[in-house]
Amino acid sequence: MRILVINGSPHPKGVIANLLKAVTEGLSQNADIEWIDAGKLNIRPCLGCMKCRRDPNGICVLPADDGHVMGQKLRRAEGLIIGTPTYWGNMSAQLKLIFDRNVPALMGEKPSGTPLPKHKGKPAVVVTACTTPWPFNWIFAESRGALAAVHEVLKWSGFKTIGRLAQPGTKNRPGASEKHLAKARRMGEKLNRF
Ligand SMILES: Cc1cc2nc3c(=O)[nH]c(=O)nc-3n(C[C@H](O)[C@H](O)[C@H](O)COP(=O)(O)O)c2cc1C
């Protein structure tokens, strides 16, 4: 299975990166894994012109940048492993930029106007981390907000979210915890069975 891993954190070796790495450790040897650090990409923000939606190939009108490259990678992916730090109870801007620039790679519209998911039935897992300690990360929709925001993209794209993980309290206990790393590995193993 061709798995695209997107680290939505600007830290290539942060908590999110470690959790994502643990998910990939659970994958079988046969998995074809590609890892992208969103923070290293050069992507202009979406203009909101909607021209990509009318283009038969769904291509963005902006000059060539990593937004286009990510579109090709998303189209080819058979499974997604997405990580984002919780920023303002949401996904990171770095990650959202990839999704904003690539709506037609993910979903279309039927002539009736109803959404047309382009990745129906493919599996995805999502991990996040935040400084807010448990249970406030959940009560105040910090990590819950970030997971829900990514799920929104995945849902309309047709991906089935088969695993979600949120590590709270990263200020007082920096680094990925053993408990969360173990859960991340199990999520990778679950992806194999899909
Ligand atoms: C711009 C910004 C916004 C943030 N917003 C939140 C937030 O809403 N809630 C929270 O608990 N932590 C928030 N944080 C803290 C990060 O989620 C936390 O440091 C996380 O562990 C970072 O993971 P990383 O090191 O893998 O990037 C924010 C950090 C930044 C830089």
Side-chain angles (χ1 to χ4, degrees):
M1 191 176 356
R2 206 161 34 231
I3 300 280
L4 182 61
V5 185
I6 306 180
N7 173 21
S9 165
H11 303 134
K13 293 187 176 159
V15 179
I16 296 301
N18 281 313
L19 292 172
L20 289 172
K21 189 164 162 285
V23 180
T24 64
E25 283 165 6
L27 294 174
S28 82
Q29 300 286 336
N30 302 333
D32 173 0
I33 306 165
E34 183 169 18
W35 179 293
I36 299 292
D37 286 311
K40 294 182 182 168
L41 301 179
N42 172 27
I43 308 186
R44 287 206 213 176
C46 171
L47 298 176
C49 67
M50 306 295 271
K51 287 187 182 153
C52 63
R53 318 269 183 118
R54 296 189 287 275
D55 181 73
N57 297 315
I59 305 297
C60 173
V61 295
L62 283 167
D65 68 4
D66 289 330
H68 297 92
V69 176
M70 286 308 296
Q72 289 163 4
K73 293 185 189 304
L74 286 167
R75 282 184 171 89
R76 293 178 64 237
E78 294 169 320
L80 290 182
I81 301 174
I82 306 288
T84 179
T86 297
Y87 282 0
W88 295 104
N90 208 309
M91 72 177 92
S92 69
Q94 291 87 337
L95 178 62
K96 188 157 183 293
L97 210 45
I98 294 172
F99 293 143
D100 285 352
R101 278 286 304 277
N102 284 298
V103 174
L106 296 167
M107 64 167 283
E109 252 181 36
K110 292 180 190 161
S112 60
T114 46
L116 179 70
K118 293 193 176 168
H119 297 268
K120 213 164 167 80
K122 295 180 188 175
V125 303
V126 190
V127 307
T128 191
C130 71
T131 49
T132 308
W134 172 264
F136 304 105
N137 69 308
W138 210 254
I139 292 170
F140 298 124
E142 302 297 311
S143 4
R144 186 155 56 85
L147 292 176
V150 177
H151 179 68
E152 179 75 7
V153 175
L154 297 176
K155 177 186 69 181
W156 292 113
S157 308
F159 285 97
K160 187 172 164 52
T161 305
I162 62 165
R164 301 185 314 164
L165 180 161
Q167 178 167 334
T170 58
K171 185 175 174 192
N172 295 335
R173 299 178 63 198
S177 76
E178 268 315 313
K179 178 179 136 191
H180 291 94
L181 288 170
K183 183 171 178 190
R185 281 184 210 106
R186 286 198 298 276
M187 293 199 319
E189 289 162 11
K190 197 170 171 191
L191 272 171
N192 295 327
R193 296 195 292 273
F194 202 80

